[in-house]
Amino acid sequence: MSDVNSSSRDKILEVAEALYARRGFAGVGMREVADAAGLGKSSLFHHFRSKVQLYLAVLERVLGRIEERLQPILALQVGAAEKLDRWIDAVIDELAEQPATARMLLRALFEEEEFETGNWPEGQAVDRRLAAVLEGITRMIAIGMRNGELRTASAPHVVQTLIGATIFHFASGEIGEGLLGGPLLSAEAVRERKAETKAFFHYGLAARPAQSGEGEKS
Amino acid sequence: MSDVNSSSRDKILEVAEALYARRGFAGVGMREVADAAGLGKSSLFHHFRSKVQLYLAVLERVLGRIEERLQPILALQVGAAEKLDRWIDAVIDELAEQPATARMLLRALFEEEEFETGNWPEGQAVDRRLAAVLEGITRMIAIGMRNGELRTASAPHVVQTLIGATIFHFASGEIGEGLLGGPLLSAEAVRERKAETKAFFHYGLAARPAQSGEGEKS
DNA sequence: CTGCCGCCCGACCGATCGGTCGGAGGGAAC
DNA sequence: GTTCCCTCCGACCGATCGGTCGGGCGGCAG
């Protein structure tokens, strides 16, 4: 524990992130992680007390990177629409630079694992970071709606749509590439996704003069 | 095999769908499925040759229900915007009525399983159904753009956003409920999600007078 | 030098994994 | 009755699972 930069520990987190992203917690064994990290299986348990703890550590690292991207944007002294644009750019940059991030985030957002996050200290940290990010974005959008900069809608619903538009796209892998007819992560594809997403939310949330509601029925 | 309505087979598919939706292919054992279906483990292998085949059968059933909802809508003699609205209603109805569907679909769309779908006949059927649904929606949107009914954008990117807005929302489970501050599947919440989604795509894709293009290339 | 400590490993543990096998039970055909 | 087939099951298989244990190795303090 004397060496904070323990390179083995980082290596484990790195390869585990890639593996868990692809096949999930249950789909990846400790032996597979150890082999990918160039270590014996026993060595993993020297750095992480259990498989659950390793998985949660990976998840926390992913969420930490997202949180670091979000905080400076929320602190900017600009309008909500501008913040939203910058946030879309920032999160897409992160998802494109770290290809495992999107799938890990998606798993964290929808999967029901066989363990309870609340029972582990690392799990509570994960929950806290996730809540912080979601609340930050929701508040940012809600403020933009309240002061008339954005069309009035349900902020949580917009956040759900935003998550889908960003995270799911970069998690969709082969299916997404089949749909687009090309790679997801090329510089051009990333640029295009940013533009499409920003344009869509721009139009979808643009403030409008009061009008009779259009196209709403069950 | 003489009984097409084999109730045991349906029961297995039903409970397996719920279990796989929650914890994925690797996270659910055959014993757990058997117990939930009220059968011995050996009996599962009488109805399905292997675990992979069972999983693919579940997936195909889910995709089949979606495809059945989509086809009559594509055949309607109405505009693309109207078709899009009806499709949003239909798919959200399906996701709300069958709570396991969203998560199974999401898994099919982003997960890399430890088997290759191409090696099993059922896997090829899954791939075919998935491709049919995606192509149907993409074409519907592309046509609406080509004839000026919808704003010009990248149809595949819109489809990705549409998937995120519908499937992810109903797959998000506890996180989504925390964000909304209430249940995801109540009649009121479902109605609200339909309205929000339709409004968002309405505004996001509304045809506009020619203008200096924003976020369109290639 | 000796002793300690962080890091790593091979061998091993009980449990569970997917899957097989031989046979029990029961309804329909004869 | 007998035979056949469909459905189901308990017992069993080798492999792999997460996790433990004791010890080897190398650097650093005394």
Side-chain angles (χ1 to χ4, degrees):
Chain A
M1 195 65 76
S2 63
D3 184 5
V4 179
N5 284 338
S6 168
S7 71
S8 280
R9 196 186 147 94
D10 288 348
K11 177 77 176 172
I12 293 169
L13 286 170
E14 188 185 323
V15 302
E17 181 178 325
L19 289 169
Y20 286 139
R22 275 200 273 268
R23 291 198 303 280
F25 173 78
V28 179
M30 293 299 266
R31 169 136 196 186
E32 193 178 353
V33 176
D35 287 349
L39 293 173
K41 190 183 62 161
S42 313
S43 303
L44 298 200
F45 290 91
H46 173 76
H47 296 280
F48 303 93
R49 265 168 272 168
S50 70
K51 185 187 181 184
V52 170
Q53 203 168 60
L54 169 57
Y55 186 77
L56 291 173
V58 168
L59 213 49
E60 196 194 343
R61 211 173 64 133
V62 170
L63 284 167
R65 293 199 303 258
I66 294 290
E67 205 178 357
E68 280 175 17
R69 297 257 195 182
L70 177 59
Q71 276 171 346
I73 292 174
L74 290 181
L76 290 175
Q77 299 290 340
V78 299
E82 171 75 14
K83 280 185 187 175
L84 180 58
D85 270 5
R86 298 226 199 178
W87 166 244
I88 290 171
D89 279 334
V91 71
I92 289 182
D93 277 337
E94 174 68 26
L95 301 179
E97 288 167 18
Q98 305 273 353
T101 300
R103 282 172 164 155
M104 282 302 291
L105 280 179
L106 199 51
R107 291 187 186 278
L109 287 167
F110 94 95
E111 224 159 21
E112 277 185 19
E113 305 292 355
E114 53 220 54
F115 52 86
E116 287 195 27
T117 52
N119 296 344
W120 304 74
E122 299 84 354
Q124 296 173 4
V126 166
D127 288 344
R128 243 183 290 118
R129 297 215 149 157
L130 190 53
V133 171
L134 292 177
E135 284 172 18
I137 306 175
T138 307
R139 195 175 307 123
M140 173 187 84
I141 289 176
I143 289 175
M145 289 176 179
R146 205 177 311 139
N147 65 25
E149 198 180 348
L150 303 176
R151 170 176 72 88
T152 300
S154 160
H157 279 280
V158 171
V159 172
Q160 290 275 75
T161 305
L162 180 59
I163 293 171
T166 50
I167 296 178
F168 169 74
H169 174 80
F170 285 97
S172 65
E174 292 181 16
I175 275 87
E177 296 192 340
L179 203 53
L180 293 226
L184 283 177
L185 295 178
S186 72
E188 185 196 350
V190 171
R191 207 181 328 115
E192 190 178 338
R193 184 64 191 171
K194 282 184 187 174
E196 291 280 343
T197 306
K198 285 188 285 185
F200 201 86
F201 278 80
H202 200 239
Y203 292 143
L205 289 179
R208 278 149 207 293
Q211 61 184 39
S212 58
E214 180 180 10
E216 270 138 46
K217 47 178 170 93
S218 63
Chain B
M1 196 64 75
S2 62
D3 185 4
V4 178
N5 285 337
S6 168
S7 70
S8 279
R9 189 173 210 273
D10 288 348
K11 178 77 177 172
I12 293 169
L13 286 171
E14 189 185 323
V15 302
E17 182 178 326
L19 289 169
Y20 286 139
R22 275 200 273 268
R23 291 198 304 280
F25 174 78
V28 179
M30 294 299 267
R31 169 130 197 194
E32 194 177 353
V33 176
D35 287 349
L39 292 173
K41 190 183 61 160
S42 312
S43 302
L44 297 201
F45 290 92
H46 173 76
H47 295 281
F48 303 93
R49 264 168 273 169
S50 70
K51 185 187 181 183
V52 171
Q53 204 167 60
L54 169 59
Y55 186 77
L56 291 173
V58 168
L59 214 49
E60 197 194 342
R61 212 174 64 133
V62 170
L63 284 168
R65 293 199 303 256
I66 294 291
E67 205 179 358
E68 280 174 18
R69 298 259 195 181
L70 178 58
Q71 276 171 347
I73 293 174
L74 290 182
L76 289 175
Q77 299 289 341
V78 299
E82 172 74 15
K83 280 187 187 175
L84 180 57
D85 270 5
R86 298 228 198 178
W87 166 242
I88 290 171
D89 279 335
V91 70
I92 289 182
D93 277 336
E94 174 68 25
L95 301 179
E97 289 168 17
Q98 305 273 351
T101 300
R103 281 171 164 155
M104 282 302 293
L105 279 178
L106 198 52
R107 291 187 187 279
L109 286 168
F110 94 95
E111 226 160 19
E112 277 185 20
E113 303 293 353
E114 52 220 53
F115 53 87
E116 286 195 28
T117 52
N119 295 345
W120 274 262
E122 298 83 355
Q124 296 174 4
V126 166
D127 288 343
R128 245 182 289 118
R129 286 192 188 239
L130 190 53
V133 170
L134 292 177
E135 286 172 16
I137 306 175
T138 307
R139 196 175 307 124
M140 174 187 83
I141 290 176
I143 290 174
M145 289 176 179
R146 205 178 311 137
N147 66 24
E149 198 180 349
L150 302 177
R151 170 176 72 88
T152 300
S154 160
H157 279 281
V158 170
V159 171
Q160 290 275 74
T161 306
L162 180 59
I163 292 172
T166 49
I167 296 179
F168 169 73
H169 174 80
F170 286 97
S172 65
E174 292 181 15
I175 275 88
E177 297 192 340
L179 203 53
L180 292 229
L184 282 178
L185 294 179
S186 72
E188 185 195 348
V190 171
R191 208 181 327 116
E192 191 178 338
R193 184 64 191 172
K194 282 184 187 174
E196 291 280 343
T197 306
K198 285 187 286 185
F200 201 86
F201 277 79
H202 227 243
Y203 292 143
L205 289 179
R208 278 151 206 292
Q211 60 185 41
S212 59
E214 182 177 4
E216 274 138 46
K217 330 185 251 91
S218 122

